Amino acid sequence: MKIGKLTLILILGIVFFISCNSDDDLTENQNELNSFIYENYWEDAKKIYQNEVANNINHFNYNLEYLDSLEIFKISKNIQSVYELTIPEQDSIFNQYQIHANIGYIFTKLTFKVEDNQTIGSTETMNLISPSSDENELFNFYNNNQFVFTNPDPIATNWVDVEFNENKNLTYLKNQLLNISFIPNVEIGSFSSGYSSKMKFERFENHNITTFRMGWGDCWSGCITKRYWKFKTTEDSAEFIESYYGNEF
């Protein structure tokens, strides 16, 4: 029984995805993180970092191929500084409301468009994204950046979803895909709304601002009521600034 080229790619991608157990998330500084923060907020710090890279073309790591574990560690330390405060606001954030980043994007997935032609169908799409030889541009990309097709059989569409090893910088991968002649458009992940809790991290010269948000009432539409807790933070200290109701983010 013959196995189709796309099916073979899908199988190989799944095997790679399951077998890959990278230590990229573990830094030499991990012992400086409280176990609660590492276990519950490392992923939040990673999402915050990926979001700031994706939304700032001038970010110092915009073109970096892999995620910068040290920068993720630094953001985690800022969150930990708030966690180590002994004030009622700390209890509200980490215990009562258990606020998390909830950026909304899936930073392991890309959706790309094959050919800028509205008449292209599923057969033509599959022919383009199914690498036939090492001369195919997408094959060369795939060979260096393995991914899994998450919708291997698009119906009357020229948009394709793929999922990567999560330790790659998706902004870098997006720009690499845009260099392929038959891929005119690439989007990062899928955006989902409806989160009641969110976090925001802002960098300044000598400190950062870490803000936690909790919302109530119709949060699928953005939450009717939103409360914020804002802190001036560094990797070693945190100062509570204010708590207020508003519509900041």
Side-chain angles (χ1 to χ4, degrees):
M1 181 176 65
K2 293 183 178 180
I3 299 177
K5 292 173 182 176
L6 183 59
T7 303
L8 181 59
I9 293 171
L10 183 60
I11 293 172
L12 290 173
I14 291 173
V15 170
F16 170 85
F17 203 72
I18 293 174
S19 63
C20 183
N21 183 18
S22 173
D23 289 330
D24 288 350
D25 282 354
L26 303 177
T27 74
E28 60 183 10
N29 306 102
Q30 185 192 340
N31 61 347
E32 295 183 36
L33 289 177
N34 179 292
S35 60
F36 175 85
I37 294 298
Y38 183 76
E39 292 169 8
N40 295 280
Y41 282 89
W42 179 265
E43 288 300 316
D44 294 85
K46 184 188 292 186
K47 291 174 184 177
I48 289 169
Y49 166 76
Q50 290 173 292
N51 189 57
E52 69 175 6
V53 172
N55 287 286
N56 181 7
I57 193 171
N58 296 315
H59 192 281
F60 50 87
N61 280 338
Y62 186 78
N63 294 311
L64 193 67
E65 182 175 359
Y66 290 91
L67 300 185
D68 189 336
S69 295
L70 181 58
E71 288 303 316
I72 298 170
F73 166 77
K74 290 178 180 178
I75 295 172
S76 297
K77 284 279 285 183
N78 277 261
I79 298 172
Q80 179 170 285
S81 293
V82 177
Y83 178 74
E84 291 176 342
L85 292 174
T86 54
I87 57 176
E89 290 76 12
Q90 183 270 7
D91 183 68
S92 296
I93 292 165
F94 295 99
N95 297 318
Q96 182 179 2
Y97 298 121
Q98 299 178 15
I99 296 175
H100 287 277
N102 296 323
I103 298 300
Y105 292 96
I106 303 174
F107 285 104
T108 58
K109 294 184 177 181
L110 287 176
T111 299
F112 62 85
K113 187 177 184 180
V114 180
E115 294 285 20
D116 196 12
N117 185 340
Q118 296 299 319
T119 62
I120 188 171
S122 58
T123 301
E124 292 84 357
T125 299
M126 289 298 100
N127 287 338
L128 280 169
I129 68 174
S130 179
S132 57
S133 72
D134 58 7
E135 295 178 0
N136 185 292
E137 295 172 87
L138 186 59
F139 178 86
N140 293 332
F141 173 85
Y142 173 83
N143 198 38
N144 295 313
N145 309 284
Q146 266 101 31
F147 57 78
V148 174
F149 287 103
T150 57
N151 65 335
D153 296 305
I155 300 175
T157 178
N158 53 344
W159 285 91
V160 180
D161 297 329
V162 296
E163 185 163 6
F164 295 84
N165 178 320
E166 63 178 6
N167 292 312
K168 288 278 190 172
N169 175 7
L170 241 63
T171 304
Y172 169 86
L173 296 176
K174 172 184 175 179
N175 292 333
Q176 294 297 305
L177 279 170
L178 285 172
N179 288 329
I180 295 176
S181 61
F182 54 82
I183 298 179
N185 199 353
V186 182
E187 301 292 338
I188 292 180
S190 304
F191 184 81
S192 56
S193 59
Y195 296 113
S196 57
S197 69
K198 291 187 176 183
M199 292 169 58
K200 185 177 182 180
F201 181 77
E202 302 169 274
R203 298 177 188 262
F204 294 91
E205 185 174 355
N206 296 314
H207 68 277
N208 306 298
I209 296 294
T210 304
T211 306
F212 301 81
R213 190 210 84 175
M214 189 66 194
W216 298 270
D218 194 18
C219 283
W220 284 106
S221 299
C223 299
I224 296 172
T225 303
K226 294 182 277 290
R227 184 179 179 182
Y228 299 85
W229 293 264
K230 182 173 286 190
F231 299 82
K232 178 180 178 181
T233 62
T234 68
E235 294 174 40
D236 303 307
S237 65
E239 176 187 343
F240 175 60
I241 299 176
E242 61 177 333
S243 176
Y244 58 93
Y245 289 90
N247 195 31
E248 186 175 306
F249 66 93

